[in-house]
């Protein structure tokens, strides 16, 4: 493994924080834009309402009347803004009426600032101002937004002792502090951010719990893999869920069980092969040493050399069987398929056992449904299957027993069964009959010189043909092996005609 170890939990948290950060940035931008738009619209609506109040008040009342002062001061304080009402004076200058807070300071600064006065005159002459930022920096120390427009007003004056009303056009300027605009939206924004912070903490706790549910079985799998690597198959991963992790845990448990069985088979294989190899090797060594040291006289050497040769052949046969079985299981032994008459082949194989059949007075019973039955299979391999099955039947039958061979057609298959009336197989031993080096129940038969590979090879040959073999047996009644082979259709049809 290259690089620094980084746990899955850390990767999950990193990914979560990156995604969360991006989501928060996007949401913050959207929320801030929305809030700015919302509060701007709210302020515009409020200022429009204030503007209507001012217009109605100035158009209906004397600009110098107490009612105007009261109304505009109330409006300015309610909106937390500064209202300037600008009018022409009788001397040709301008008169600015200020309403709201700090009005004395604002009046003084306006009177002392020519630039501001020029701006006011421009507005009175028809140049409007729409949401202008910091329009009067000489008057206000803080940032502001200003709205200015022409406004008609009424002014009362005395002429020749009589009161007169005159309508003039002046200006109204509304000044609002930026804090008044931005303050509420930042409060709401901060509230949302705090809420999102709490949600983030809760989400992190939940993701820690969730990742722990994922990591816990993964850690168990890691520990289990280490144990299996060391040869310990006793541990098992607990399945916590029905998702992919749970399925993986079940698969690993199943794999460990299979590995445990494989290890047991391997151990048994080594033990069995060691035992089966040791017996003939011990015999060979004993006889050779006895001949060399003179224990066995010279004239007896040919007899015991034949025994040594028989044991050597036995070892050779066992080695070849193991190699053949390994090739078959690994798919290295290719089948050479051909069409042949399975009935004829069975009879020829049985003839090879004629001497043993006569010695044990065994009755051979051939029951063929039809005279010729052609199959498509590997002739050499199927001969080996039949040979091993007949040989096995002869080993576990006594004098006077019967061996029956039957062939028939079932569906699209040729069915072959080889049965005997021997001692039968115990039910517990029956489930292990096809395992390597299994020699069956110790109580069966008198001839057990085999190495326990014959039936294993039989089953593997048939599996390689895409077929299988079944066994039925009862103690005291005998055993039947049944297997199928694919038919050679065209040849069978020709024979029938």
């Amino acid at each position: 493994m290259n690089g620094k170890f980084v746990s899955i939990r850390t990767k999950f948290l990193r990914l979560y924080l990156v995604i969360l950060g991006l989501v928060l940035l996007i949401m913050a931008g959207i929320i801030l834009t929305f809030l700015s738009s919302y509060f701007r619209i709210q302020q515009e609506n409020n200022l429009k309402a204030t503007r209507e109040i001012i217009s109605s008040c100035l158009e209906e009342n004397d600009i110098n009347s107490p009612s105007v002062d009261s109304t505009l001061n109330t409006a300015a304080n309610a909106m937390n803004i500064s209202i300037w009402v600008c009018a022409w004076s009788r001397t040709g200058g301008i008169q600015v009426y200020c309403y709201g807070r700090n009005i004395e300071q604002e009046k003084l600064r306006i009177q002392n600032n020519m630039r501001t006065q020029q701006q006011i005159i421009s507005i009175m002459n028809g140049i409007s101002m729409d949401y202008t930022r910091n329009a009067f920096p000489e008057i206000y120390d803080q940032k502001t937004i200003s709205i200015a427009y022409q406004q008609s007003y009424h002014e009362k004056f005395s002429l020749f002792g009589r009161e007169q009303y005159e309508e003039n056009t002046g200006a109204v300027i509304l000044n609002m502090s930026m804090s008044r605009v931005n303050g509420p939206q930042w409060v709401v924004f901060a509230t949302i951010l705090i809420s999102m912070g709490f949600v983030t903490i809760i989400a992190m706790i939940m993701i820690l719990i969730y990742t722990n549910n994922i990591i816990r079985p993964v850690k168990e799998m890691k520990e289990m893999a280490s144990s299996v690597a060391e040869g310990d198959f006793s541990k098992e991963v607990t399945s916590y869920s029905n998702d992919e992790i749970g399925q993986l845990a079940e698969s690993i448990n199943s794999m460990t069980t299979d590995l445990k069985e494989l290890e047991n088979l391997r151990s048994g294989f080594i033990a069995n092969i060691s035992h089966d190899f040791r017996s003939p090797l011990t015999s060979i060594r004993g006889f050779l040493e006895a001949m060399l040291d003179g224990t066995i006289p010279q004239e007896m050497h040919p007899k015991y050399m034949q025994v040594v040769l028989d044991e050597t052949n036995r070892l050779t046969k066992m080695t070849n069987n193991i190699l053949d079985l390994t090739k078959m299981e690994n798919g290295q032994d290719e089948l050479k398929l051909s069409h042949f008459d399975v009935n004829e082949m069975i009879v020829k194989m049985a003839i090879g056992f004629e001497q043993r059949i006569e010695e044990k007075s065994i009755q051979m019973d051939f029951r063929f449904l039809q005279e010729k039955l052609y199959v498509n299979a590997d002739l050499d391999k199927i001969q080996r299957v039949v040979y091993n099955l007949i040989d096995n039947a002869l080993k576990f039958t006594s004098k006077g027993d019967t061996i029956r061979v039957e062939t028939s057609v079932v569906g699209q298959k040729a069915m072959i069964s080889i049965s005997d009336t021997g001692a039968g197989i115990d039910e517990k031993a029956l489930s292990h009959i096809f395992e390597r080096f299994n020699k069956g129940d110790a109580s069966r038969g008198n001839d057990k010189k085999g190495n326990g590979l014959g039936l294993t090879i039989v089953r593997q040959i048939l599996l390689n043909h895409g077929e299988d073999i079944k066994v039925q047996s009862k103690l005291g009644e005998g055993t039947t092996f049944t297997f199928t082979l694919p038919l050679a259709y065209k040849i069978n049809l020709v024979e029938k005609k």
Side-chain angles (χ1 to χ4, degrees):
M1 183 184 294
N2 297 324
K4 184 179 178 182
F5 174 78
V6 180
S7 68
I8 295 176
R9 179 185 284 108
T10 302
K11 292 180 178 179
F12 265 116
L13 287 176
R14 284 179 180 175
L15 178 62
Y16 170 73
L17 289 175
V18 169
I19 294 174
L20 181 64
L22 292 173
V23 171
L24 287 178
L25 284 174
I26 294 170
M27 288 185 65
I30 294 172
I31 291 171
L32 192 58
T33 302
F34 171 77
L35 289 175
S36 298
S37 176
Y38 173 78
F39 283 107
R40 181 178 61 80
I41 292 172
Q42 287 292 99
Q43 292 299 330
E44 287 180 1
N45 293 334
N46 291 334
L47 289 175
K48 286 179 181 178
T50 304
R51 180 173 176 175
E52 290 176 1
I53 293 172
I54 295 171
S55 297
S56 177
C57 183
L58 292 177
E59 289 174 357
E60 296 176 1
N61 299 284
D62 178 21
I63 195 172
N64 295 306
S65 67
S67 61
V68 170
D69 287 341
S70 175
T71 302
L72 297 188
N73 272 317
T74 301
N77 291 326
M79 290 294 297
N80 195 18
I81 62 176
S82 175
I83 300 175
W84 297 351
V85 177
C86 307
W88 296 104
S89 67
R90 293 293 175 183
T91 60
I94 60 172
Q95 177 88 22
V96 179
Y97 302 89
C98 296
Y99 304 94
R101 300 171 185 175
N102 304 320
I103 57 175
E104 297 300 329
Q105 183 179 358
E106 289 182 15
K107 284 182 179 180
L108 182 60
R109 289 186 177 183
I110 292 170
Q111 291 173 2
N112 296 328
N113 192 279
M114 292 300 296
R115 180 177 179 277
T116 301
Q117 292 178 22
Q118 290 296 324
Q119 286 179 280
I120 292 172
I121 292 171
S122 297
I123 296 167
M124 293 173 71
N125 288 329
I127 298 177
S128 299
M129 186 183 294
D130 188 21
Y131 290 95
T132 304
R133 292 174 179 263
N134 302 321
F136 305 102
E138 296 85 0
I139 310 302
Y140 297 106
D141 298 327
Q142 59 186 346
K143 294 181 179 180
T144 59
I145 293 178
S146 299
I147 300 174
Y149 55 90
Q150 276 187 323
Q151 174 65 50
S152 60
Y153 62 91
H154 286 87
E155 185 177 12
K156 184 172 66 172
F157 63 94
S158 297
L159 182 62
F160 305 114
R162 294 175 62 185
E163 289 186 354
Q164 301 283 333
Y165 283 91
E166 182 180 18
E167 183 177 351
N168 289 317
T169 300
V172 173
I173 301 172
L174 307 178
N175 300 299
M176 180 184 299
S177 172
M178 287 288 288
S179 61
R180 174 81 175 105
V181 178
N182 296 331
Q185 72 184 41
W186 285 112
V187 171
V188 175
F189 186 66
T191 304
I192 293 174
L193 284 181
I194 292 171
S195 301
M196 293 176 68
F198 281 115
V199 171
T200 301
I201 294 172
I202 295 171
M204 289 186 70
I205 294 172
M206 291 180 66
I207 199 170
L208 285 172
I209 295 172
Y210 180 73
T211 53
N212 187 60
N213 291 334
I214 297 176
I215 292 169
R216 183 167 35 177
V218 171
K219 282 186 176 180
E220 288 186 17
M221 293 176 203
K222 176 186 174 184
E223 293 172 359
M224 184 176 178
S226 300
S227 299
V228 169
E230 295 173 359
D232 180 9
F233 302 96
S234 61
K235 292 187 177 181
E236 188 174 280
V237 180
T238 305
S239 180
Y240 296 95
S241 58
N242 294 324
D243 55 12
E244 290 83 356
I245 296 294
Q247 292 177 353
L248 179 60
E250 292 178 2
S251 298
I252 289 180
N253 288 335
S254 176
M255 180 190 69
T256 304
T257 302
D258 293 342
L259 287 174
K260 185 177 181 180
E261 293 178 358
L262 186 62
E263 177 63 19
N264 292 335
L265 287 173
R266 187 189 67 83
S267 300
F269 172 78
I270 292 174
N272 286 325
I273 199 172
S274 299
H275 176 270
D276 285 341
F277 271 61
R278 184 171 56 205
S279 296
L281 286 173
T282 301
S283 298
I284 292 170
R285 180 178 178 180
F287 288 130
L288 290 176
E289 287 178 349
M291 285 187 284
L292 288 174
D293 62 18
T295 303
I296 297 176
Q298 186 73 30
E299 61 273 15
M300 298 292 291
H301 281 191
K303 173 183 176 182
Y304 288 99
M305 286 297 292
Q306 184 61 47
V307 174
V308 170
L309 181 60
D310 290 342
E311 291 297 313
T312 303
N313 290 334
R314 181 182 167 194
L315 282 173
T316 301
K317 183 179 179 181
M318 190 188 311
T319 303
N320 289 336
N321 283 339
I322 292 172
L323 292 174
D324 290 345
L325 183 58
T326 301
K327 287 181 179 180
M328 292 178 193
E329 291 177 339
N330 293 335
Q332 297 174 343
D333 191 19
E334 294 184 2
L335 297 177
K336 299 177 181 178
L337 300 178
S338 63
H339 300 325
F340 61 90
D341 181 4
V342 70
N343 294 344
E344 181 183 354
M345 181 269 292
I346 290 172
V347 173
K348 288 181 179 179
M349 296 303 299
I351 292 173
F353 291 98
E354 186 175 1
Q355 183 178 351
R356 291 173 60 187
I357 291 171
E358 291 177 355
E359 288 175 357
K360 299 183 76 172
S361 300
I362 299 297
Q363 295 182 0
M364 290 297 300
D365 183 11
F366 296 99
R367 297 186 181 184
F368 300 149
L369 185 65
Q370 56 193 58
E371 183 179 352
K372 293 183 180 295
L373 180 60
Y374 288 92
V375 296
N376 182 33
D378 187 316
L379 177 59
D380 292 338
K381 298 291 190 302
I382 301 305
Q383 284 179 337
R384 191 169 187 177
V385 168
V386 174
Y387 178 90
N388 285 352
L389 291 176
I390 295 177
D391 179 67
N392 189 73
L394 284 169
K395 286 178 184 177
F396 300 105
T397 49
S398 302
K399 286 189 175 183
D401 283 333
T402 301
I403 296 175
R404 180 182 299 113
V405 183
E406 298 180 72
T407 64
S408 60
V409 176
V410 178
Q412 299 178 351
K413 301 283 186 180
M415 180 176 288
I416 301 97
S417 64
I418 299 174
S419 57
D420 62 71
T421 57
I425 307 171
D426 180 76
E427 186 177 351
K428 292 182 179 178
L430 195 63
S431 60
H432 303 285
I433 196 71
F434 295 108
E435 293 178 3
R436 291 188 181 197
F437 301 105
N438 184 283
K439 298 182 182 180
D441 189 350
S443 64
R444 292 184 69 230
N446 302 315
D447 184 4
K448 299 187 183 68
K449 293 181 181 179
N451 50 46
L453 290 173
L455 292 179
T456 308
I457 291 173
V458 165
R459 186 168 187 267
Q460 191 59 50
I461 288 174
L462 292 172
L463 287 175
N464 288 354
H465 278 78
E467 307 294 335
D468 202 353
I469 184 169
K470 297 181 180 178
V471 58
Q472 292 179 325
S473 183
K474 287 186 179 181
L475 285 175
E477 296 184 13
T479 304
T480 300
F481 290 92
T482 304
F483 64 93
T484 57
L485 291 173
L487 290 170
Y489 299 106
K490 294 182 178 180
I491 297 179
N492 285 321
L493 290 173
V494 170
E495 288 295 328
K496 286 182 179 180
K497 290 180 180 179

